[in-house]
């Protein structure tokens, strides 16, 4: 793995979405301020734990499909979060050991764990960039990205549970369009996005908690999530709830004979598409 930059100060005075997500997944890499905010979210929306698990399970399945069926060998994963095994590069390199992955996140705690948890298979390569999706130019021009990814060959852009942290005022569709414009034909977009479609009142309460904690959010309808895929060729089954995107017995989304979660519990639109 390429060595990342020296970590900047970790702000523990307010919660961070990546560390709250770690709590939802049962991790230990968060602080009391993150736990408190996450527990407020869980009180308003108990399905948040299901949503987080289904988000990761979708990432695993989408990565395998792109590697096995579409010849993808490179990934740009933005908003990766605190490393939780198996992470994207481990899933990809289990299919194609030569896979290359660039991770990016804006929480310095993620950087703290990047070097120890993101060890590449010998045939492949990974690196980490501390960067913000709201500044795509800096991210795309990072020297670490050019060292690992060949932008003349297809790249999968992975945006899992990220774009709902980019309100319309920050031009989320323009950001995704700019990122995709840097990638050649045959590249892919894999995206997940929380939605209020099944329980608007609950998600309005979740929005208030995040916004009150200093993290603006905008949860979107299926129609609005679909706009991120404009101009791309959606893979079957199109834009669908996370647990319904090509489920398989090995995705790790369920333990034993647990019942299928409800749509309201999942509340996560997902999709994968190829750039013509």
């Amino acid at each position: 793995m390429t060595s990342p930059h020296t970590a900047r100060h970790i702000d523990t005075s307010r919660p961070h979405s990546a560390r709250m997500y770690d709590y939802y997944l049962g991790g230990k890499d968060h602080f009391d301020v993150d736990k408190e905010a996450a527990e407020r979210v869980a009180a308003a929306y108990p399905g948040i734990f299901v949503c987080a698990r289904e988000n990761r399970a979708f990432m695993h399945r989408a990565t395998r499909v792109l590697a096995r069926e579409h010849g993808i060998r490179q990934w740009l994963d933005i908003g990766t979060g605190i490393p939780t095994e198996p992470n994207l590069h481990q899933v990809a390199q289990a299919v194609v050991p030569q896979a290359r992955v660039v991770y990016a996140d804006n929480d310095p705690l993620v950087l703290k764990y990047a070097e120890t948890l993101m060890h590449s298979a010998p045939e492949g390569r990974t690196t980490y960039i501390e960067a913000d999706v709201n500044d795509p130019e800096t991210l795309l021009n990072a020297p670490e990205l050019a060292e690992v990814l060949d932008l003349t060959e297809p790249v999968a852009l992975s945006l899992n549970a990220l774009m709902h942290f980019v309100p319309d005022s920050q031009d989320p569709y323009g950001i995704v369009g700019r990122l995709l414009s840097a990638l050649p034909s045959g590249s892919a977009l894999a995206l997940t996005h929380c939605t209020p479609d099944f329980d608007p009142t609950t998600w309005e309460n979740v929005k208030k908690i995040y916004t009150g904690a200093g993290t603006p959010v905008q949860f979107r309808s299926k129609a609005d999530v679909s706009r991120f895929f404009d101009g791309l060729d959606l893979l079957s089954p199109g834009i669908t709830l996370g647990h319904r995107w090509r489920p398989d017995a090995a995705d790790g989304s369920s333990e034993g004979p647990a019942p299928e979660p409800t749509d309201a519990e999942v509340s996560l639109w997902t999709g994968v598409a190829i750039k013509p």
Side-chain angles (χ1 to χ4, degrees), residues 169-185:
S169 60
Q170 294 172 240
D171 191 20
Y173 302 106
I175 288 171
V176 174
R178 174 65 189 99
L179 293 167
L180 287 169
S181 73
L183 309 179
S185 175

Side-chain angles (χ1 to χ4, degrees), residues 53-62 64 68 86 91 242-256 261:
R53 290 195 302 269
E54 293 297 341
N55 181 66
R56 282 201 64 79
F58 165 83
M59 182 273 283
H60 295 165
R61 298 195 303 273
R64 289 196 294 266
R68 288 174 180 163
V91 176
H243 60 308
R244 296 207 181 99
W245 196 95
R246 302 198 187 186
D248 62 47
D251 65 13
S253 60
S254 300
E255 295 182 3

Side-chain angles (χ1 to χ4, degrees), residues 59-93:
M59 182 273 283
H60 295 165
R61 298 195 303 273
T63 299
R64 289 196 294 266
V65 166
L66 288 171
R68 288 174 180 163
E69 302 177 18
H70 297 274
I72 298 293
R73 300 293 181 264
Q74 304 185 107
W75 278 260
L76 173 56
D77 182 46
I78 306 175
T80 185
I82 293 164
T84 303
E85 293 193 12
N87 220 308
L88 190 153
H89 75 281
Q90 294 166 311
V91 176
Q93 291 177 349

Side-chain angles (χ1 to χ4, degrees), residues 12 16 37 55 110 146 150 192 249 256:
T12 60
H16 190 283
N55 181 66
V110 180
D150 177 358
T192 71

Side-chain angles (χ1 to χ4, degrees), residues 189-265:
L189 171 64
L191 180 144
T192 71
H193 198 298
C194 289
T195 182
D197 285 357
F198 302 95
D199 192 348
T201 300
T202 289
W203 281 92
E204 183 60 32
N205 291 333
V206 172
K207 179 179 179 179
K208 290 177 181 176
I209 295 168
Y210 271 96
T211 302
T215 302
V217 289
Q218 185 165 345
F219 306 119
R220 296 183 171 92
S221 67
K222 183 177 183 179
D224 288 337
V225 173
S226 298
R227 287 181 57 195
F228 288 110
F229 296 91
D230 284 353
L232 306 178
D233 297 329
L234 275 166
L235 302 185
S236 174
I239 309 298
T240 189
L241 287 167
H243 60 308
R244 296 207 181 99
W245 196 95
R246 302 198 187 186
D248 62 47
D251 65 13
S253 60
S254 300
E255 295 182 3
E260 181 177 286
T262 66
D263 293 353
E265 283 178 315

Side-chain angles (χ1 to χ4, degrees), residues 107-126:
D107 180 11
L109 186 62
V110 180
L111 175 59
K112 177 182 175 183
Y113 289 96
E115 190 146 19
T116 58
L117 293 186
M118 295 182 182
H119 292 299
S120 173
E123 302 92 331
R125 199 168 176 195
T126 70

